[in-house]
């Protein structure tokens, strides 16, 4: 049962991260296509690059995923607020906000942080064992 749970968490991290990267990339390309030389478009591009990084870390199952995912979600929220204040609208950024909140909630509620920390500790331990065997 333990291996099935680990495989489930591995699959979740990979596919949730992959879909997040794709949504962020679509938003980034939208800003390249639509937002020409506008300060708002450059701000969105910056936030989308951070979002791509956060979801890439989720795909890689890094132990730094939670802080990056949290900061990315906050920045996407701020970007949506900025869009409202400037009377602009981007449906993909609204979807990205909803998706980020859902993934962050699932990540936090199901103990993925401890799973990633345990995975990191196991990899470090295995790496140390291999170094001791070779030296």
């Amino acid at each position: 049962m333990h291996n099935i749970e680990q495989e489930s968490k591995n699959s979740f991290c990979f596919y949730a991260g992959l879909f997040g990267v794709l949504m962020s990339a679509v938003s980034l390309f939208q800003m390249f296509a639509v937002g020409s030389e506008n300060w708002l478009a450059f701000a969105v591009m910056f936030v989308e690059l951070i979002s791509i990084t956060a979801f890439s870390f989720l795909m890689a199952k890094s132990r730094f995923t939670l802080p990056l995912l949290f900061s990315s979600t906050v920045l996407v929220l701020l970007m949506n607020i900025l869009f409202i204040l400037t009377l602009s609208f981007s449906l993909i950024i609204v979807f990205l906000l909803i998706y980020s909140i859902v993934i962050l909630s699932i990540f936090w509620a199901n103990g993925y942080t401890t799973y990633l920390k345990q995975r990191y500790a196991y990899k470090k331990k295995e790496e140390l064992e291999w170094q001791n065997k070779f030296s």
Side-chain angles (χ1 to χ4, degrees), residues 11 21 26 28-29 50 62 68 80 89 96 108 115:
S11 295
V21 166
V26 167
L28 184 65
F29 290 133
I50 291 173
S62 171
L68 278 171
N80 274 293
F89 181 74
L96 182 62
W108 216 323
Y115 164 71

Side-chain angles (χ1 to χ4, degrees), residues 24-42:
S24 299
V26 167
S27 177
L28 184 65
F29 290 133
Q30 176 192 21
M31 286 302 122
F32 277 129
V34 176
S36 60
E37 303 298 323
N38 186 355
W39 69 270
L40 185 59
F42 289 127

Side-chain angles (χ1 to χ4, degrees), residues 71-129:
S71 62
S72 169
T73 303
V74 168
L75 287 173
V76 172
L77 174 66
L78 292 174
M79 193 54 51
N80 274 293
I81 291 170
L82 188 61
F83 268 119
I84 290 170
L85 293 176
T86 59
L87 302 176
S88 301
F89 181 74
S90 172
L91 189 59
I92 189 69
I93 293 179
V94 173
F95 285 154
L96 182 62
L97 174 64
I98 294 167
Y99 182 75
S100 296
I101 290 171
V102 168
I103 293 301
L104 185 62
S105 301
I106 292 171
F107 191 83
W108 216 323
N110 291 333
Y112 283 90
T113 305
T114 56
Y115 164 71
L116 293 180
K117 286 180 183 176
Q118 289 171 348
R119 189 174 182 274
Y120 175 76
Y122 176 76
K123 280 190 171 189
K124 276 300 215 188
K125 180 182 171 188
E126 185 178 355
E127 184 180 299
L128 188 62
E129 287 175 4

